[in-house]
Structures are given as structure tokens and as C-alpha cells.
Amino acid sequence: MSSSEQMKAVTIPEFGEAEVLRTDKVAIPEPGPGQVAIDVAYAGANFAEVLYRRGVVDVPLPFVPGIEVAGRIRAVGEGVEDLTVGQRVAALTIVDSGGYAEVAVTSADLVAPLDDLGLGLDVAAALPSNSTTAFLVLDRVARIEPGQSVLVHAAAGGVGSQLGQAARLLGAGRVVGTVGSEAKIETARNFGYDEVILRDRIAEAGEFDIIVDMVGGPARRASLDRLAPMGRLVVMGNASGADDVGVPANELWFTNKTVSGFNLAAFSAAFPEEAGRALRRAVAAAAKGTLRVQVETLPLERAVEAHRRIEAGATTGKLVLQVATL
Ligand SMILES: NC(=O)c1ccc[n+]([C@@H]2O[C@H](COP(=O)([O-])OP(=O)(O)OC[C@H]3O[C@@H](n4cnc5c(N)ncnc54)[C@H](OP(=O)(O)O)[C@@H]3O)[C@@H](O)[C@H]2O)c1
């Protein structure tokens, strides 16, 4: 639903390079039953929005991207009882997108109240996608057990920086990260990895119970080779843009290895209550100081620059877009 009133939003009017993004006026969305509308202070900038912009996901245009926000509840839809207007919240807007805007609508299940947790809205906007994913990938998908070893690719990046810390919180043993360049080793180390190695040295890294791959291409095949017996490889992205890597099913059979997939958008659509619980777990860990995000802020109007930097692999930690001062 939308009203006749207009708001500022960054839209994808056509698929293409970062330059297609446009700051525009669009109708303000209104919450349907079970939904809330949020006045957005900050929207997270993610690789996912780059994929929408490139047309990897076929969406109707013009499209307002944005899979996560933090701000204040503006309105609640029918049947929403536990959230109130004016309340500070972080939220996943990942099912229908729309976060790069002054107002975003999402399911009340996908909201985490911030109340007096002491988190800034900029930090809160950096948590919903990557930190929630980190807990779900390790706990729900890989079914991590105490003491198990974990290897995480792109360890200095948005989701990589959260996976190492989440592994630690979930009782992992050895936690190793890979990065694509020397310059990122120190950044990744500061996120709590025991060791950080260059991705092309993975063959020397030993064996792991769990490997999380969001890079794809040669790293995926090399990861399969590094799994210990009963090891699990979780495939959750393809940041390299490489051609898909086939999974040799007979090899899995002979070596007792598992390959799983995870996609937060599809998971949140199918299991919104569980996604919401994982989000609130991430928010609680950040508020306690046991999960740290490194945040850099750009104004919403500089979304083009944010996308260029993300797709060049030139960011560490998380970029968030400031939409309004709330
Ligand atoms: N499945 C899910 O639900 C889910 C949730 C969150 C994120 N993801 C995926 O996870 C990946 C990382 O997301 P993010 O938000 O953490 O992004 P990010 O911070 O930009 O991290 C991406 C990292 O991938 C590495 N990379 C390798 N080849 C690259 C290339 N050709 N172009 C750009 N980067 C390249 C770079 O790290 P190095 O320099 O270390 O190589 C880069 O920093 C994306 O593929 C995203 O779609 C998936």
C-alpha cells in the first residue's frame, strides 16, 4: 500500500552500473496487516543491493533497494501489538526491499526494538543483514558444535567480519579468515580471527569442520578440499562474480562432506519469526559489546559511491547510508 504523499528515495530505474541509481521522489508506503512503517535514519549498504541493481534478481522497475534499516516506528498495521509509534528499532526490509528511503515497510516479525540498549542508529542499521546471517549460517545451517574449527572467506568484509565473531560466541575452536589482499589482514585480525591468511594460500591452512563461502569461483572448489570428514561448506554468495562451481555429489558421498546453501531473503520470507529471533540475538550481542561492527557513514545521496566501492571490494566492515537525522 502507498499514500499520495511523497518521500525521498534512491531508486533503480533501470538495471546497470552504479550510475543508474537515482535520488528520486516516490510514494510513501503504508503498513498492511502485520507490518510496520519505519522512519529511516540509516540504511545498510550491501552487496545484495548491487546484485539487485545489476538485475541478477529480476524485480519490477523502478525499484527501491535496501534490505535493512534503523530508525523509529512511524505507523503500525492491523494486528501489530508489541511495537509502538516512535520506538527506536532495527529491521530487516529484505523480503520486499525499500530501505534506501525515508520510510520503509516490513513485517513486524523482522523488527528488533532498540529501546534503551544504548546502540546508535548507525550501528543498528549495520546489524540486520550481516550479523543475523552470521548467526543463522553457523547455528541453523552448519549446526556448529563447541570446539569446531571454522574458516570464513572475505573475513574483513561486512558479513565476514560478523561470522568470525559469531563463531566465537557460538563456542567455535580455531577460527580462521581469508582475505584477498595483504592490506586487509590486520583489519580482519581485529575482528577476532585467530589467523588471517591470503585466500590463495588456503591449501596450507589445514582442515575445517565448517567453511563459509560467499566469494565463489576457485575459492569454492578449494574450500571443498579443506573440509574435514563430516565437514560442512555453506555457500552464501558469489562476490567474485565467477561462473557457478558444480558440486561433485559422488565426492560428497565418498568423503562424508556436506554442502549447504543459505539466503537470508528467502529464509526471512519462509521463516520470519525465526529470522526475527536471530536479528534480536544479534542486536543483543552488539549491545552487550560481544559483537562489534565497524561502520562508515555516507549520505543517502552518495549511494552511487557506496555501490562502486562495494563492488570493487574496496570496503572493510560496513557502509551505512544516512537518510535522516532522527
Ligand atoms: N546469503 C545471504 O543471505 C547473504 C547475506 C549477506 C551477504 N551475502 C553475500 O556475501 C558476500 C559479501 O557481502 P558483504 O555485504 O559482506 O560485502 P562486502 O563487505 O563488500 O564483502 C565482499 C568481499 O568479497 C571479496 N571479493 C572477492 N572477489 C570480489 C570481487 N570480484 N568483487 C568484489 N568483492 C570481491 C572482497 O574481499 P577480499 O578483498 O577479502 O577478497 C570483498 O570485500 C556477497 O556476495 C553477498 O551477496 C549473502
Side-chain angles (χ1 to χ4, degrees), residues 58-125:
D58 194 17
V59 290
L61 301 178
F63 184 74
V64 181
I67 62 173
E68 60 186 345
V69 300
R72 286 184 185 275
I73 298 282
R74 172 188 177 90
V76 298
E78 194 188 314
V80 177
E81 285 168 2
D82 47 356
L83 295 164
T84 52
V85 171
Q87 194 172 13
R88 296 168 83 250
V89 293
L92 281 164
T93 51
I94 195 165
V95 176
D96 296 315
S97 288
Y100 287 18
E102 285 176 304
V103 181
V105 162
T106 192
S107 162
D109 288 332
L110 298 175
V111 172
L114 299 172
D115 297 326
D116 51 5
L117 290 178
L119 285 174
L121 289 174
D122 52 347
V123 170

Side-chain angles (χ1 to χ4, degrees), residues 10-15 20-21 24 26 49 51-66 94-98:
V10 164
T11 66
I12 301 171
E14 60 183 304
F15 298 127
V20 301
L21 293 175
D24 233 331
V26 303
E49 289 113 24
L51 299 180
Y52 280 102
R53 198 208 68 224
R54 288 178 182 166
V56 173
V57 186
D58 194 17
V59 290
L61 301 178
F63 184 74
V64 181
I94 195 165
V95 176
D96 296 315
S97 288

Side-chain angles (χ1 to χ4, degrees), residues 279-304:
L279 165 63
R280 290 185 284 279
R281 181 183 196 178
V283 165
K288 236 171 114 183
T290 51
L291 187 72
R292 189 173 68 79
V293 285
Q294 174 193 307
V295 177
E296 181 187 343
T297 303
L298 290 176
L300 179 68
E301 290 75 8
R302 284 167 65 185
V304 171

Side-chain angles (χ1 to χ4, degrees), residues 130 133 157-159 179-180 184 199 214 236 239-240 262 264 311:
N130 290 335
T133 294
V159 75
V179 289
K184 290 188 179 178
R199 196 164 306 118
M214 68 301 268
M236 53 157 292
S240 67
F262 180 76
L264 184 62
E311 58 197 329

